[in-house]
Amino acid sequence: MDVLSSRVLLRPTDPARTRRFYADTLGLAVYREFGPDDDPGVVFFLGQGFLEVAGRSDGPATGGTLSIWLQVRDVGREDERLRQAGVTVLREPRLEPWGLVEMWIADPDGHRIVLVEVPPGHPLRRDPR
């Protein structure tokens, strides 16, 4: 398999609310929009990947087993900003045994979003050459 591009697809219960969450609350940049003006599909940049919010789920908002992993520069700063915005915090920021700082939040349908900070000195920051 030679993967050239990839994206995560979300089918929210309330597309407009979910688009606002990812665009306005999280502040993700828009890669492209498509479909009707009154209910567009939106593809957001996720670092080196994409998140597409399009269509609608007919089922209840349960969050399921999907998790979105987002590396950020400062988890503490995001914690403060997102709490002020009323975002549901599932787990406080903490230093994990593997050396990353992680915080868990939920999108409007309950999907877990893991915010990750790579601290200075962590092997992911070191140049292995």
Side-chain angles (χ1 to χ4, degrees):
M1 178 185 317
D2 189 13
V3 178
L4 302 178
S5 180
S6 64
R7 65 178 65 171
V8 175
L9 305 177
L10 285 183
R11 302 292 183 247
T13 57
D14 184 339
R17 176 185 69 178
T18 299
R19 286 191 302 267
R20 284 191 308 273
F21 176 80
Y22 285 99
D24 300 337
T25 306
L26 291 189
L28 299 183
V30 173
Y31 169 66
R32 69 182 283 256
E33 295 179 84
F34 58 92
D37 290 337
D38 62 335
D39 192 22
V42 180
V43 180
F44 296 98
F45 283 104
L46 281 183
Q48 297 175 358
F50 300 99
L51 172 69
E52 178 177 318
V53 177
R56 180 181 303 270
S57 173
D58 294 331
T62 62
T65 58
L66 171 74
S67 292
I68 299 172
W69 193 94
L70 302 176
Q71 183 180 343
V72 299
R73 293 185 191 283
D74 187 333
V75 167
R77 185 172 49 220
E78 292 302 326
D79 178 33
E80 183 178 318
R81 184 182 73 79
L82 294 170
R83 285 178 190 276
Q84 289 176 359
V87 171
T88 300
V89 174
L90 300 174
R91 200 183 82 180
E92 306 286 329
R94 68 172 72 148
L95 181 62
E96 298 293 351
W98 45 90
L100 300 176
V101 178
E102 292 188 8
M103 172 187 181
W104 300 352
I105 62 173
D107 81 356
D109 281 323
H111 297 107
R112 181 172 55 188
I113 300 170
V114 181
L115 300 180
V116 179
E117 177 184 335
V118 181
H122 190 279
L124 289 175
R125 286 210 176 190
R126 290 190 211 133
D127 186 347
R129 293 176 281 163

